[in-house]
């Protein structure tokens, strides 16, 4: 548990002990209402003060309708009706559910951090008297001095105030050559000190540091394309105001109608029903469990070497080859089309591999033949995809002869060869036009020329270990160990995650609707409301956690 989670757990335990003690006392002694309210307010505020503050902040910012507002209104209303125990219980169990969800997210976050290996576990904080102690990076304030020893990660962005060291920045930049830093230079979190101790004055909080932003990018942008999440976000924005106004109508309209017909209005009964209705209606189970399910799937994938993230913007890149000046000569290295542009006559392609032609000052100098080697797992990967009903098409810049040889070896029926980056995009466009409703097009690549098409596909998948930085940046999913067999695993993880998402949506909304009807009819009391809110949330979160594991 983090320090914040431990603090919340302590609050919950204190509130529980106080509530239990007060319940026993008032069971033996019939106290006046004012005594009940004042005494139960103590555990209520201990466990729920942050919810009340968030509700007030939402009202101040004109973003009223959220779960904090629902909890605040329902529990304060319960106190007003003298149902103090129920009011405390609602807030107490709500915080239990929140803690449970926080721990579950933390577990998934650790999986992602373990894969990227950049999130620091601690910071060596130096106090004013020179003592150094390990502490949670979250607790380090701006302007503090931290010490980074050889072999340790820089936990927070800052400026070197003493010492010098070579920094391994490969995890962040992909640059394999260490960078030397000295006093007065900036350092970013996630780097590893190799050979010297550094004293660093922090310039950012941990949550704003580079390492945290990278993790947030992975955790948050990776879920932007999820239709179910988009649905839940829209659902919560519309649903919460509707239930609030419905609860208000339930509290006012029936008593007023009864008064018109000369019957007793029963204000207390209908207000109690409205408050129960509010507690039941809290959308926590759906709002929390659906993103948590996706998050669990991402965590499961990350633990298997599959990094799932969001697409990034890229510039369009060249495709014929490269040209450079060396020792006063113009050197051109590339394909036949580049040789034609350079005006250099070239020999025909050799059938045994990919030919890289070389011209010097417009004159043909020769060629290099590069033979492709098929990975040992590629054939099994293609077979596994085919067994799952996945259609495979090879798009490559290689020559037709090489492409057809590799495709035949892998069992791929459709091949498009000798494609430039823009040609690959065109081919993907054609495939996208032909796909049926509900189908999804994924593109797998590793070269810099694959970057544009990785961005264009529904899902871009890059080979992480050998792939170019541009391809990895453009991709939605990265296979960190370059194993094509991970494609099939990624599909299985995706399928399981979506099944869990659907289960949670159906279960949570189904129970909510049933309990809302019972609450409006006066059949469901506050304890059933607690189950409909917190109980359903806990069950949904437990189900969502299953996404972290796959056989």
């Amino acid at each position: 548990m983090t320090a914040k989670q431990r603090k919340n757990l302590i609050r919950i335990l204190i509130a529980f002990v106080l509530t239990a003690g007060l319940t026993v006392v008032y069971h033996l002694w019939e106290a006046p209402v004012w005594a009940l309210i004042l005494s139960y307010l103590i555990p209520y505020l201990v466990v729920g003060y942050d919810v009340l503050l968030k509700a007030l902040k939402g009202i101040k910012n004109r973003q009223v309708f959220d779960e904090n507002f629902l909890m605040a209104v329902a529990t304060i209303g319960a106190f007003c009706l003298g149902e103090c125990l129920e009011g405390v219980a609602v807030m107490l169990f709500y915080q239990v559910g929140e803690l449970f969800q926080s721990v579950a997210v933390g577990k998934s976050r650790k999986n992602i951090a373990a894969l990227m290996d950049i999130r620091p576990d601690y910071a060596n904080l130096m106090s004013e008297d020179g003592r150094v102690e390990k502490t949670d990076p979250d607790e380090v304030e701006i302007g503090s001095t931290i010490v980074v020893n050889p072999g340790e990660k820089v936990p927070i962005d800052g400026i070197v105030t003493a010492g010098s060291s070579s920094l391994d920045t490969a995890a962040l930049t992909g640059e394999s050559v260490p960078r030397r830093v000295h006093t007065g230079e900036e350092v970013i979190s996630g780097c590893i000190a190799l050979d010297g101790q550094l004293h660093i004055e922090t310039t950012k909080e941990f949550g704003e540091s580079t390492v945290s932003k990278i993790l947030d990018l992975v955790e948050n942008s990776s879920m932007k394309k999820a239709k179910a999440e988009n649905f839940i976000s829209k659902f919560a924005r519309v649903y919460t105001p509707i239930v609030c106004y419905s609860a208000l109508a339930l509290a006012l309209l029936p008593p007023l109608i009864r008064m018109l017909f000369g019957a007793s209005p029963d204000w207390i009964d209908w207000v109690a029903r409205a408050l129960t209705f509010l507690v039941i209606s809290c959308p926590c189970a759906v709002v929390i469990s659906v993103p948590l399910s996706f998050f669990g799937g991402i965590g499961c994938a990350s633990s298997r070497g599959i990094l799932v993230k969001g697409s990034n913007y890229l510039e369009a890149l060249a495709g014929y080859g490269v040209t450079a000046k060396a020792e006063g000569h113009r050197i051109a290295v590339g394909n036949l089309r580049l040789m034609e542009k350079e005006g250099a006559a070239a020999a025909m392609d050799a059938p045994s591999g990919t030919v890289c032609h070389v011209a010097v000052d417009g004159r043909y100098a020769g060629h290099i033949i590069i033979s492709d080697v098929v990975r040992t797992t590629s054939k099994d990967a293609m077979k596994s995809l085919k067994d799952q009903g996945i259609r495979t098409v090879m798009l490559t810049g290689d020559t037709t002869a090489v492409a057809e040889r590799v495709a035949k070896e892998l069992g791929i029926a459709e091949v498009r060869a000798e494609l430039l980056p823009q040609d690959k995009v065109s081919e993907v466009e054609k495939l996208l036009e032909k796909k049926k409703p509900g189908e999804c097009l994924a593109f797998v690549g590793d070269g810099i020329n694959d970057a544009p098409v990785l961005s264009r596909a529904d899902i871009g998948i890059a080979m992480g270990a050998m792939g170019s930085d541009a391809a990895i940046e453009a991709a939605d999913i990265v296979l960190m160990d370059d194993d094509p067999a991970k494609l099939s695993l990624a599909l299985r993880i995706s399928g399981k995650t979506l099944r869990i998402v659907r289960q949670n949506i159906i279960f949570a909304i189904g129970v909510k609707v049933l309990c809302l009807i019972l609450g409006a009819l006066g059949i469901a009391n506050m304890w059933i409301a607690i189950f409909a809110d917190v109980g359903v949330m806990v069950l949904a979160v437990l189900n969502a956690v299953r996404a972290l594991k796959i056989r």
Side-chain angles (χ1 to χ4, degrees):
M1 279 190 176
T2 65
K4 184 177 181 180
Q5 289 169 347
R6 284 194 294 271
K7 180 181 176 182
N8 288 339
L9 177 60
I10 291 171
R11 286 170 53 205
I12 289 169
L13 292 175
I14 292 173
F16 177 79
V17 171
L18 289 174
T19 304
L22 289 171
T23 303
V24 171
V25 170
Y26 289 128
H27 182 73
L28 300 174
W29 171 54
E30 189 174 340
V33 175
W34 64 266
L36 283 171
I37 294 176
L38 289 178
S39 54
Y40 274 113
L41 269 177
I42 297 172
Y44 175 77
L45 292 175
V46 167
V47 77
Y49 73 88
D50 54 338
V51 174
L52 299 177
L53 290 176
K54 289 175 184 176
L56 290 172
K57 187 175 181 180
I59 295 171
K60 180 182 177 182
N61 296 331
R62 297 182 180 180
Q63 296 176 343
V64 178
F65 300 111
D66 61 10
E67 65 271 19
N68 297 301
F69 177 77
L70 294 181
M71 285 294 108
V73 172
T75 52
I76 291 172
F79 269 83
C80 293
L81 293 175
E83 303 289 346
C84 303
L85 175 59
E86 286 81 352
V88 176
V90 168
M91 190 64 77
L92 183 63
F93 285 109
Y94 172 76
Q95 293 287 35
V96 169
E98 289 289 297
L99 177 63
F100 197 89
Q101 178 258 343
S102 175
V103 172
V105 170
K107 185 177 181 181
S108 185
R109 186 183 179 99
K110 284 181 181 177
N111 279 351
I112 294 174
L115 170 68
M116 299 179 75
D117 197 29
I118 59 174
R119 180 184 172 93
D121 297 319
Y122 60 88
N124 297 318
L125 181 64
M126 179 179 285
S127 60
E128 293 181 359
D129 60 4
R131 289 186 298 107
V132 177
E133 60 178 348
K134 288 184 178 180
T135 186
D136 190 325
D138 276 315
E139 298 178 1
V140 178
E141 298 178 350
I142 295 175
S144 302
T145 298
I146 57 174
V147 178
V148 180
N149 298 308
E152 293 182 333
K153 300 184 187 73
V154 177
I156 304 171
D157 295 6
I159 298 175
V160 178
T161 56
S164 66
S165 177
S166 293
L167 294 182
D168 179 0
T169 64
L172 299 175
T173 66
E175 177 58 56
S176 58
V177 179
R179 178 172 72 91
R180 194 76 187 174
V181 293
H182 303 277
T183 301
E185 294 185 317
E186 293 185 4
V187 292
I188 58 175
S189 53
C191 302
I192 299 175
L194 298 178
D195 57 6
Q197 187 185 74
L198 296 174
H199 288 199
I200 299 171
E201 181 180 339
T202 60
T203 55
K204 297 179 181 177
E205 293 181 345
F206 177 68
E208 294 298 317
S209 291
T210 302
V211 64
S212 293
K213 288 183 177 179
I214 290 175
L215 290 172
D216 288 340
L217 173 68
V218 174
E219 294 162 4
N220 298 323
S221 67
S222 58
M223 296 181 284
K224 285 182 180 176
K225 290 184 179 179
K227 292 181 180 178
E229 255 213 319
N230 290 334
F231 160 73
I232 290 302
S233 298
K234 293 176 182 176
F235 168 81
R237 284 198 298 268
V238 175
Y239 168 84
T240 309
I242 288 176
V243 296
C244 285
Y245 289 124
S246 298
L248 183 62
L250 186 63
L252 297 178
L253 294 182
L256 292 175
I257 293 172
R258 290 174 63 88
M259 288 174 66
L260 289 175
F261 287 95
S264 173
D266 292 335
W267 286 104
I268 293 179
D269 177 54
W270 287 103
V271 170
R273 292 190 192 189
L275 293 174
T276 302
F277 187 91
L278 275 180
V279 176
I280 294 171
S281 66
C282 187
C284 299
V286 182
V287 173
I288 290 173
S289 65
V290 170
L292 182 59
S293 300
F294 283 109
F295 200 62
I298 292 170
C300 177
S302 67
S303 67
R304 303 298 185 92
I306 305 170
L307 177 60
V308 184
K309 64 183 186 69
S311 299
N312 294 311
Y313 298 106
L314 285 176
E315 297 178 357
L317 301 173
Y320 290 94
V322 294
T323 59
K325 285 189 176 181
E327 299 181 355
H329 298 284
R330 177 181 171 82
I331 312 295
V333 182
N335 56 23
L336 282 172
R337 281 170 283 190
L338 180 61
M339 296 299 104
E340 292 172 2
K341 288 182 66 177
E342 293 291 314
M348 296 298 292
D349 283 355
S352 58
T354 299
V355 180
C356 190
H357 300 279
V358 182
V360 180
D361 294 329
R363 298 178 59 186
Y364 187 72
H367 61 258
I368 303 167
I369 298 176
I370 304 169
S371 181
D372 292 288
V373 178
V374 177
R375 282 184 169 271
T376 54
T377 57
S378 295
K379 190 171 183 179
D380 290 338
M382 294 303 104
K383 183 179 181 303
S384 180
L385 292 174
K386 190 175 291 184
D387 291 343
Q388 294 183 60
I390 306 298
R391 174 190 173 193
T392 55
V393 181
M394 178 188 286
L395 304 180
T396 178
D398 286 339
T399 62
T400 301
V402 172
E404 289 180 349
R405 175 176 61 80
V406 174
K408 184 178 180 181
E409 185 177 346
L410 296 179
I412 300 175
E414 299 181 64
V415 183
R416 318 275 197 276
E418 301 183 18
L419 301 176
L420 293 173
Q422 59 265 34
D423 298 327
K424 289 185 180 180
V425 174
S426 299
E427 291 294 332
V428 167
E429 294 280 3
K430 293 175 185 176
L431 292 171
L432 287 169
E433 290 174 2
K434 294 178 181 178
K435 72 174 186 177
K436 299 175 182 176
E439 289 183 337
C440 190
L441 188 145
F443 180 86
V444 185
D446 63 354
I448 198 167
N449 62 337
D450 290 325
V453 70
L454 282 166
S455 294
R456 180 63 190 92
D458 292 329
I459 303 173
I461 303 173
M463 296 295 186
M466 295 299 292
S468 72
D469 289 344
I472 294 170
E473 284 295 317
D476 300 304
I477 298 173
V478 181
L479 308 181
M480 297 303 290
D481 56 3
D482 289 347
D483 186 354
K486 292 291 177 67
L487 278 172
S488 177
L489 177 61
L491 286 169
R492 285 167 50 209
I493 292 172
S494 172
K496 179 178 180 180
T497 301
L498 289 176
R499 284 195 300 273
I500 291 173
V501 167
R502 285 192 290 266
Q503 290 166 4
N504 280 343
I505 290 175
I506 294 171
F507 171 68
I509 294 179
V511 172
K512 288 283 183 187
V513 171
L514 176 62
C515 291
L516 282 172
I517 294 171
L518 294 177
L521 296 174
I523 300 173
N525 58 21
M526 194 65 78
W527 292 105
I528 293 179
I530 291 172
F531 168 75
D533 175 36
V534 181
V536 170
M537 178 173 67
V538 170
L539 291 175
V541 168
L542 280 172
N543 192 39
V545 171
R546 292 197 303 117
L548 285 166
K549 302 288 184 181
I550 189 169
R551 294 179 182 176

